Amino acid sequence: MAVEIEIGNAIINNIVFDNIEIYRDKGRAINCIIYGEDITDCTVSGVVFKNISYNADMKSSLTAALDAPESDGILSALCRLLDIISPQAGAAMRSLIQWLFSGTSPRNSMEVFFEDVTANGTAVTAYNLHEFFDVGGNCSATVRG
């Protein structure tokens, strides 16, 4: 299941994946990504994965490209820690890092929701989300219900 954005200046809303079972995926079962730092002003909101069950060899990926050094050392660790506490706090920190290092607000953003998702036999919760998903850039991932 994929949402892959390759051009900028896009507003994409309300994509729903519902009632899907993937028996075996050798890669990433879920991949939501805004490719490349040359893509600007792209907003993806309301992506919902609902009643999903999958087994996959790799962690799924949720990434909205940022033009900031969030992937470096202590900043990356801080964002990952905040993601565990609250996905919204992690997204807010990424936005702050973007603003501090570029002097602008985030160029791209992505909002993803999970409802009744099972990954590799385990129910996805706010507490274990990062065991199954790599969340990067200005991406908000929320488990509902």
Side-chain angles (χ1 to χ4, degrees):
M1 295 168 283
V3 177
E4 298 181 357
I5 310 304
E6 297 180 359
I7 60 170
N9 299 318
I11 297 174
I12 300 166
N13 297 312
N14 304 322
I15 300 170
V16 178
F17 296 89
D18 191 4
N19 200 25
I20 298 171
E21 182 177 353
I22 298 174
Y23 176 73
R24 190 82 194 139
D25 190 311
K26 293 290 185 181
R28 300 179 192 279
I30 296 174
N31 191 32
C32 296
I33 187 165
I34 299 174
Y35 281 108
E37 294 182 1
D38 57 331
I39 296 175
T40 60
D41 302 317
C42 186
T43 302
V44 179
S45 62
V47 178
V48 178
F49 292 92
K50 183 177 180 180
N51 301 314
I52 306 293
S53 177
Y54 71 84
N55 290 292
D57 289 348
M58 297 174 64
K59 286 175 92 171
S60 292
S61 180
L62 310 171
T63 304
L66 270 181
D67 193 18
E70 185 259 314
S71 61
D72 294 338
I74 190 78
L75 294 177
S76 178
L78 178 59
C79 288
R80 285 194 306 271
L81 177 62
L82 286 172
D83 282 333
I84 292 168
I85 297 167
S86 163
Q88 292 81 8
M93 178 56 72
R94 286 181 182 85
S95 294
L96 177 61
I97 291 168
Q98 167 71 20
W99 179 78
L100 287 173
F101 285 93
S102 70
T104 63
S105 59
R107 301 178 318 158
N108 300 311
S109 64
M110 184 177 298
E111 173 189 60
V112 182
F113 298 98
F114 299 97
E115 298 176 17
D116 191 27
V117 174
T118 302
N120 298 333
T122 302
V124 175
T125 67
Y127 300 105
N128 69 9
L129 179 73
H130 291 281
E131 292 178 30
F132 305 105
F133 293 89
D134 287 326
V135 181
N138 190 29
C139 186
S140 162
T142 305
V143 178
R144 300 192 293 203

